[in-house]
Amino acid sequence: MKELKLLYLYPDMLELYGDYGNIQVLKYRCEKRGIKLIVDKYSIGYEAPNFKEYDIVFAGGGADNEQSILSEDLVKYSENIKQAVENGTFFLLICGAYQLFGKYYKGVEGNIIPGLEIFDYYTEAASDRKKRCIGNIITEVELDGEKTKVIGFENHGGQTFNVSTPFGKTAYGNGNKFEDSEEGYFQKNVIATYLHGPLLSKNPKVADYIIQYCLSRKEGTNVTLEALDDTLEEKCREQLLEKFMREK
Amino acid sequence: MNILIIIFIKFVIFILKCFGRKGGNLPGKIAKKLNPDILKYLKIDCPVIAVTATNGKTSTNNCIKSMLENNGKKVISNSDGNNMETGIITAILKNCKINGKVNADFITLEVDENYVPKIFTKMRLDTLVILDFFRDQLDRNGEVETLILKINEFLKTYNGNLILNSDDPNVSRLGKANEDNENVYYFSVEKYEHATKEEKEAGEGKFCPFDKTRLEYDYYQYSHIGKFHCPTCNFGRNEISTKATSIDVKNGKFMVDNVEYETLSNNIYTIYNFTAVITVAKIYELDAKETLKNFRLDNGRCEKVIVNGSETLINLAKNPTGANVSLRMLNEDSDEKELLFVLNDNLADGVDVSWIWDINFDIKNVTRIVTAGKRAYDIAIRIKTTWYPTEKIESYLSLEEAVKALYTTNTKKYVIANYTALQPTRKEIKRMNI
């Protein structure tokens, strides 16, 4: 049986917006195709993981308090994580985790929370504490040459700058900053984004891109995935795309 | 001036009544426009009780109101659930004299979590009941921690009765906000048969608020409610004023201070609310036994109806914990059943529906699921991902069609609806029953 290994970072701390659903969707779509998805968890107090051993690393968004506690812990692994990224392990990073992988996060009072410095972008808190990018969002992305609309929900105060290769173009909603034209960060083996929803639940193409990438990498050939019955997802997308574009 | 405002508002309430409107918030809104501090002007000579929480405010406040009335007291309350400042102003102005004198033995109010400091810096408060704090509509309310800190700040200078759920770390910690307050009463509910060793449902407050150590739990009742303590400080070791024991959820019975209480409810979460009510009764030396025996709130909070011969239980769920409590009741019931889940994403619901992924959909003996509401497909995908067979899920954007489809069989029904979905769903279900 084919199998993939996923490392789930800080499940008890980065779990505010149902981001765990991304793992459930990945697991569902893997197992429907006879691929086993093994999920290991890492949090404060656990044994140190070796990031390079994993096909996928996932981290979600959390509350501010939790996020500052764990950033100190995660920085210990920055070298190991850097190697895993270079090695081709897939990283799916949502919201707070997206920010943590950048250079730093600058708070409202100017305090700096250091990031892992894996990527060159950095995040600054919005000067007005009460202002946040909140709402439904549609991002136009291109995965393996195929264009698709990604639907999600954003809820962030941080404004992310200096993104060299964004995940997509904002068609509805904010993106990396207030009223931005771009959203997230992307490279072949990294999707870092503000999109909750959870992201993969309404975007099966993104889920399959990740699974396909990981399997192909593992097997050393270009794997094609068997199609699944996505009637519900397609109906959901059709309804929401129409609804959001109408509200635009 | 204030006399004129009160006369005018009473007139507005009268006019609204003529048009068949209840006037929940509008009169209060106008009064607040005319004098933002109108609450300060009111002369209240009776005790004021307030209930706040994420879940259970309406039920608990209404139960306290019934308890007081059953003890022969004259009570003013916002029992309709309008729990922000404008709703509270309306409720009191409706029942005061034009000189602002409030004529009652008690005022009991449910108060939106975010409005507690705002309201009670303007009016008297004698007893504050806090039931629980869960994550709730993050896009509207923000993080739970921010809310707790806000209430903690208010409590620093509060010396009245404070009734706290000792089994919720988010609530229990508030007992330390003012070390000089001698009127803190903790209530707790003993382990019940479906309590678990591990947390089954997403919760908050995993770390000790005083020294950031991970909290240890002997057991979880539901979500993060359970017997917890901090391994390094004394947090979680409270002296309990009201302890519910011999919990028999199936038959709706439990004991407090050697008295057996019978209820019409069959869930752990209501027993917590009732234990809070008993604590209020104890403070004012009143009896709650008879009230609990007959108390039922027929407005979609664990409402039982029979529709075309099928037993139907309707319950509101505004957040993961609300939905989890309903699904717990469903799982604790061994009969075969069907589920209707109605999910809207209106402003009052929270536009973000990702909270449905925090619901524990480990469901048993459910033969069919119907989903409806503006986000009927979102909830369907959520359920599908738990490996519930897709062919047994039916989704309808039209509520009318969904309810019709639900009652094509006479299997027992469980209905879960979120905030703005609840009343339309009840209406549609009741229309079926001809």
Side-chain angles (χ1 to χ4, degrees):
Chain A
M1 192 181 192
K2 288 180 183 178
E3 77 178 35
L4 291 173
K5 270 180 84 179
L6 182 147
L7 179 64
Y8 180 12
L9 292 179
Y10 307 104
D12 54 347
M13 299 171 89
L14 295 177
E15 43 82 70
L16 196 53
Y17 300 93
D19 292 326
Y20 168 70
N22 289 312
I23 297 181
Q24 275 177 294
V25 173
L26 283 174
K27 204 169 165 65
Y28 181 84
R29 301 186 75 80
C30 278
E31 286 174 8
K32 270 270 167 192
R33 294 169 169 127
I35 306 160
K36 194 173 176 195
L37 184 72
I38 299 167
V39 178
D40 287 345
K41 293 175 179 177
Y42 170 76
S43 192
I44 292 175
Y46 290 43
E47 206 177 305
N50 185 358
F51 289 81
K52 283 184 285 184
E53 274 177 18
Y54 288 91
D55 300 294
I56 310 169
V57 175
F58 171 79
D64 288 348
N65 190 27
E66 262 86 2
Q67 209 146 299
S68 64
I69 299 176
L70 73 87
S71 69
E72 283 172 42
D73 182 73
L74 192 59
V75 169
K76 291 191 291 201
Y77 305 104
S78 65
E79 205 39 52
N80 190 282
I81 292 172
K82 203 170 278 174
Q83 285 168 12
V85 173
E86 280 163 15
N87 224 1
T89 291
F90 196 94
F91 281 76
L92 177 60
L93 310 166
I94 312 289
C95 196
Y98 166 30
Q99 296 171 349
L100 274 172
F101 273 63
K103 280 186 162 163
Y104 60 83
Y105 181 91
K106 190 169 160 192
V108 186
E109 289 92 19
N111 55 312
I112 300 267
I113 302 171
L116 293 172
E117 296 188 47
I118 311 282
F119 309 116
D120 282 339
Y121 56 78
Y122 57 89
T123 307
E124 292 180 1
S127 48
D128 182 350
R129 211 187 286 264
K130 286 193 180 134
K131 267 183 92 184
R132 290 174 74 84
C133 301
I134 301 186
N136 291 303
I137 174 165
I138 301 171
T139 306
E140 284 165 354
V141 309
E142 199 177 314
L143 297 167
D144 281 338
E146 198 191 333
K147 283 193 175 141
T148 179
K149 288 191 170 76
V150 174
I151 306 172
F153 192 90
E154 59 178 335
N155 185 351
H156 56 103
Q159 309 287 297
T160 301
F161 298 89
N162 198 33
V163 179
S164 50
T165 46
F167 178 40
K169 287 193 166 60
T170 312
Y172 174 72
N174 289 291
N176 285 331
K177 299 180 276 293
F178 289 114
E179 293 173 19
D180 200 358
S181 58
E182 295 171 344
E183 203 289 320
Y185 172 83
F186 179 79
Q187 64 185 54
K188 201 170 168 44
N189 62 326
V190 179
I191 292 176
T193 170
Y194 278 116
L195 269 63
H196 302 290
L199 170 74
L200 302 182
S201 68
K202 281 182 274 283
N203 303 291
K205 277 192 179 151
V206 181
D208 284 356
Y209 169 82
I210 298 171
I211 298 169
Q212 187 168 13
Y213 167 88
C214 293
L215 273 186
S216 300
R217 172 175 173 256
K218 197 169 180 189
E219 297 184 0
T221 69
N222 268 337
V223 172
T224 317
L225 296 177
E226 160 200 344
L228 298 179
D229 175 9
D230 287 335
T231 318
L232 277 176
E233 286 83 350
E234 276 155 22
K235 277 189 177 162
C236 185
R237 287 175 58 80
E238 193 187 319
Q239 181 220 347
L240 294 181
L241 285 170
E242 197 264 331
K243 177 179 152 101
F244 299 159
M245 292 322 268
R246 193 162 20 100
E247 285 166 7
K248 197 173 167 175
Chain B
M1 179 61 192
N2 284 317
I3 291 182
L4 292 178
I5 295 176
I6 294 176
I7 294 173
F8 177 61
I9 296 304
K10 284 190 176 284
F11 177 68
V12 171
I13 293 170
F14 174 75
I15 296 292
L16 286 169
K17 206 171 161 187
C18 292
F19 284 95
R21 298 266 308 273
K22 275 192 204 149
N25 281 304
L26 185 66
K29 208 170 173 178
I30 299 169
K32 210 182 144 205
K33 264 258 156 65
L34 297 170
N35 178 4
D37 286 334
I38 188 77
L39 281 175
K40 282 187 185 165
Y41 171 72
L42 301 168
K43 297 178 194 74
I44 303 171
D45 296 327
C46 64
V48 176
I49 302 168
V51 181
T52 197
T54 307
N55 290 341
K57 292 183 287 282
T58 306
S59 302
T60 308
N61 181 50
N62 273 278
C63 187
I64 292 173
K65 179 177 179 252
S66 298
M67 184 272 291
L68 294 168
E69 286 172 346
N70 290 343
N71 281 280
K73 307 294 179 193
K74 184 173 188 301
V75 186
I76 295 174
S77 181
N78 58 343
S79 48
D80 51 5
N82 290 306
N83 61 18
M84 295 192 238
E85 195 173 352
T86 49
I88 288 166
I89 295 174
T90 306
I92 301 178
L93 289 191
K94 229 185 238 182
N95 294 291
C96 75
K97 293 184 181 161
I98 53 169
N99 62 0
K101 193 162 163 38
V102 175
N103 183 18
D105 298 320
F106 279 92
I107 295 178
T108 181
L109 302 167
E110 78 160 271
V111 182
D112 181 282
E113 311 84 283
N114 282 296
Y115 280 84
V116 171
K118 210 180 244 173
I119 289 168
F120 295 110
T121 38
K122 290 182 192 163
M123 70 179 273
R124 121 177 222 180
L125 176 64
D126 297 81
T127 299
L128 177 62
V129 183
I130 308 181
L131 304 168
D132 52 57
F133 288 127
F134 300 109
R135 61 181 60 180
D136 183 33
Q137 302 171 17
L138 291 159
D139 56 318
R140 293 183 67 216
N141 297 334
E143 291 174 10
V144 182
E145 183 66 19
T146 318
L147 168 73
I148 298 170
L149 292 176
K150 202 154 127 189
I151 294 185
N152 193 70
E153 196 56 38
F154 166 76
L155 291 176
K156 279 181 182 169
T157 53
Y158 172 73
N159 282 298
N161 298 319
L162 183 59
I163 300 177
L164 301 175
N165 181 353
S166 185
D167 298 344
D168 182 345
N170 292 334
V171 173
S172 178
R173 63 191 270 197
L174 295 170
K176 294 185 194 288
N178 178 4
E179 300 279 4
D180 295 333
N181 187 356
E182 288 167 3
N183 306 308
V184 180
Y185 303 89
Y186 293 98
F187 66 92
S188 171
V189 176
E190 203 177 56
K191 187 175 179 181
Y192 91 121
E193 60 172 322
H194 298 286
T196 51
K197 193 87 194 113
E198 301 290 324
E199 190 168 9
K200 283 268 182 208
E201 298 129 359
E204 245 69 35
K206 294 186 176 68
F207 295 87
C208 174
F210 305 105
D211 64 12
K212 306 275 175 224
T213 315
R214 194 187 290 269
L215 295 175
E216 288 176 3
Y217 274 78
D218 294 351
Y219 57 84
Y220 293 88
Q221 304 271 46
Y222 70 97
S223 186
H224 63 248
I225 308 294
K227 191 166 171 34
F228 71 90
H229 67 272
C230 171
T232 54
C233 73
N234 68 353
F235 179 53
R237 296 176 216 274
N238 301 316
E239 194 187 311
I240 307 298
S241 307
T242 313
K243 187 162 179 91
T245 58
S246 314
I247 313 301
D248 178 359
V249 167
K250 202 165 178 202
N251 299 304
K253 288 181 185 169
F254 61 95
M255 310 265 295
V256 173
D257 301 334
N258 294 318
V259 176
E260 187 180 66
Y261 288 86
E262 286 171 64
T263 74
L264 297 171
S265 301
N266 305 99
N267 64 80
I268 183 69
Y269 147 84
T270 309
I271 292 181
Y272 270 91
N273 297 344
F274 285 162
T275 310
V277 175
I278 293 169
T279 315
V280 174
K282 272 164 74 174
I283 289 176
Y284 292 103
E285 297 176 351
L286 301 169
D287 176 59
K289 194 171 153 74
E290 281 309 303
T291 305
L292 298 201
K293 201 171 172 181
N294 303 304
F295 182 76
R296 219 172 58 186
L297 195 62
D298 283 336
N299 67 351
R301 270 83 170 180
C302 295
E303 181 177 6
K304 285 175 195 166
V305 288
I306 305 227
V307 179
N308 298 343
S310 336
E311 221 180 289
T312 304
L313 186 113
I314 310 168
N315 203 9
L316 165 75
K318 295 186 279 190
N319 44 45
T321 307
N324 284 331
V325 167
S326 295
L327 292 176
R328 254 175 196 267
M329 287 166 67
L330 176 149
N331 277 338
E332 288 165 14
D333 174 356
S334 50
D335 293 349
E336 193 172 276
K337 57 245 152 183
E338 296 180 334
L339 172 68
L340 167 66
F341 202 122
V342 192
L343 180 69
N344 276 348
D345 65 350
N346 293 320
L347 224 54
D349 299 305
V351 182
D352 181 10
V353 296
S354 58
W355 61 272
I356 59 173
W357 290 79
D358 284 332
I359 302 172
N360 181 352
F361 265 106
D362 185 9
I363 43 177
K364 294 179 195 92
N365 251 335
V366 177
T367 46
R368 187 168 63 122
I369 297 178
V370 178
T371 74
K374 292 186 169 180
R375 292 297 196 112
Y377 294 117
D378 284 73
I379 188 75
I381 294 170
R382 167 71 189 97
I383 295 165
K384 167 190 167 178
T385 315
T386 63
W387 291 91
Y388 188 85
T390 322
E391 63 276 14
K392 291 186 188 169
I393 307 175
E394 298 169 27
S395 302
Y396 301 89
L397 291 173
S398 147
L399 187 57
E400 192 186 342
E401 279 175 43
V403 171
K404 261 189 198 147
L406 182 70
Y407 287 102
T408 48
T409 68
N410 50 18
T411 315
K412 197 176 198 177
K413 321 285 183 203
Y414 275 76
V415 177
I416 299 176
N418 73 337
Y419 195 60
T420 67
L422 182 66
Q423 297 313 332
T425 304
R426 287 181 70 219
K427 211 166 136 192
E428 218 40 75
I429 287 175
K430 286 183 179 167
R431 261 179 23 151
M432 287 298 296
N433 202 12
I434 311 163

